[in-house]
Amino acid sequence: MKNSWAPSNLDGSGEIFETLHSGLKVKLIATPRSDFRTCHANEHVSAVLRRNIDSYDFIPVVSDGAGGSQHIIGLFHAANYTDHEGIGDRIQDHFNSLSEDFIIGADASILDFIKDADAKPCRLVVSGSNIIGLVSLSDLQKLPVRAVLFALITGFEITMMEAIKRTYKSETHWMNSLSLERRQNVEYQKSKSEEADAIVDTLLFTQFADKKTLVKKQLPKTRPKKSFEKALRTIESLRNKIAHANEYANTPTHARSVCKTVRELLQFRLEIAGLQPNIQAPKP
């Protein structure tokens, strides 16, 4: 007797999508305050740059308080300068004063940071009334971020599967919407599973590219087709890099691209989750 497993009921996938990544917090990727390399407002820019041997993009600016304590008053964007710039200038003329744009809660999700890390590439991490760390765009390379992105894309694939089930009349209809080569691959993978005495939802044998093809055919014509295709290709590219442990944010440009892709993914998920069944099945 064959055992049915991995049921196809995807009810509650919205909750799955939210919980897959919400448990990973910003504090997991933050540089602790004890490890900060700081500077003072009255220091020369050139002196601060010369001792920035680790090439930190941002350096917290501090003022001395009572008992040897230090208070963070802003951030100096060191990456915007070279050793030859501002030789006679002091940090006080070139740093950004502390504001809401430069802080994030320690218990904020890593996803919250990723979504606008390209616009806010450095944030001071706050817990209670204290600054306990710092996160920057370069932290997108850290392992917890990879876990968040993997969970995010997994949730996106679940949403696509749910939409396919909702918008196609039957398995036959969506199978016929794939190319012959892709359909044969799905059928082959399914037959191997059946030989192993397992019954699995056929959709589970589709690859990301297959789901992308099926969902794309059901999307409303609310924007140019090329726009859909480009965004979905970018999401698929990020998915493949995450799945195969390739570099995905090893340069500032790549890291900013990740932020943009995540925003597109979240927007696409809303559009896909709202798809309604078609009266007629799409033509193969």
Side-chain angles (χ1 to χ4, degrees):
M1 177 178 175
K2 292 187 177 182
N3 296 317
S4 178
W5 60 285
S8 60
N9 184 4
L10 294 173
D11 289 346
S13 66
E15 287 86 355
I16 294 172
F17 184 86
E18 297 299 328
T19 57
L20 277 171
H21 54 73
S22 60
L24 294 171
K25 308 298 184 183
V26 162
K27 58 188 174 184
L28 293 175
I29 62 171
T31 298
R33 183 165 180 171
S34 58
D35 293 342
F36 281 9
R37 301 292 184 269
T38 61
C39 63
H40 288 78
N42 62 355
E43 289 189 82
H44 285 99
V45 170
S46 56
V48 174
L49 293 175
R50 279 196 298 271
R51 72 167 183 266
N52 185 26
I53 57 176
D54 292 314
S55 298
Y56 291 117
D57 288 346
F58 291 87
I59 300 176
V61 182
V62 299
S63 64
D64 295 327
S69 63
Q70 291 186 329
H71 302 288
I72 297 174
I73 60 174
L75 291 168
F76 171 57
H77 194 177
N80 281 349
Y81 298 86
T82 69
D83 286 334
H84 304 293
E85 290 185 278
I87 292 177
D89 295 344
R90 296 184 186 274
I91 294 295
Q92 63 192 17
D93 299 317
H94 296 278
F95 80 96
N96 296 307
S97 298
L98 199 59
S99 71
E100 291 182 356
D101 287 338
F102 298 115
I103 60 174
I104 189 169
D107 288 329
S109 72
I110 290 175
L111 179 59
D112 286 336
F113 173 65
I114 296 172
K115 285 190 291 187
D116 60 359
D118 50 348
K120 300 177 181 179
C122 185
R123 312 279 283 277
L124 292 162
V125 180
V126 178
S127 179
S129 60
N130 299 313
I131 294 173
I132 64 167
L134 178 150
V135 286
S136 67
L137 189 65
S138 62
D139 290 322
L140 295 191
Q141 302 173 81
K142 292 184 176 178
L143 187 59
V145 175
R146 183 182 290 273
V148 167
L149 293 174
F150 184 81
L152 192 66
I153 294 169
T154 297
F156 184 68
E157 289 203 56
I158 291 173
T159 300
M160 287 198 293
M161 289 176 64
E162 186 180 55
I164 292 166
K165 285 181 171 295
R166 187 172 63 251
T167 58
Y168 287 83
K169 287 185 176 181
S170 65
E171 177 182 308
T172 300
H173 286 147
W174 67 255
M175 282 282 281
N176 286 337
S177 293
L178 295 174
S179 68
L180 177 60
E181 180 183 0
R182 297 308 310 154
R183 186 162 65 247
Q184 288 175 337
N185 182 70
V186 172
E187 291 170 343
Y188 172 70
Q189 296 298 332
K190 182 179 180 180
S191 67
K192 283 175 49 179
S193 176
E194 290 174 341
E195 289 174 2
D197 203 35
I199 300 175
V200 182
D201 185 345
T202 306
L203 263 176
L204 294 176
F205 298 112
T206 59
Q207 296 183 5
F208 187 97
D210 299 324
K211 299 182 188 74
K212 180 183 71 172
T213 296
L214 294 170
V215 167
K216 188 169 62 176
K217 290 186 177 184
Q218 301 288 45
L219 288 170
K221 308 244 180 338
T222 55
R223 53 171 145 165
K225 182 179 179 181
K226 287 184 178 180
S227 174
F228 282 124
E229 292 177 347
K230 182 179 179 181
L232 286 170
R233 281 199 305 270
T234 302
I235 293 170
E236 183 178 12
S237 175
L238 178 60
R239 182 259 182 203
N240 292 339
K241 289 177 182 178
I242 297 296
H244 300 296
N246 293 330
E247 293 290 350
Y248 60 90
N250 56 330
T251 69
T253 299
H254 290 162
R256 285 190 289 269
S257 177
V258 168
C259 300
K260 181 180 178 182
T261 300
V262 165
R263 290 193 296 268
E264 290 177 332
L265 183 152
L266 293 171
Q267 177 59 36
F268 261 117
R269 179 188 173 262
L270 291 177
E271 294 180 31
I272 292 169
L275 289 178
Q276 298 301 317
N278 287 338
I279 297 176
Q280 293 182 338
K283 295 179 179 180

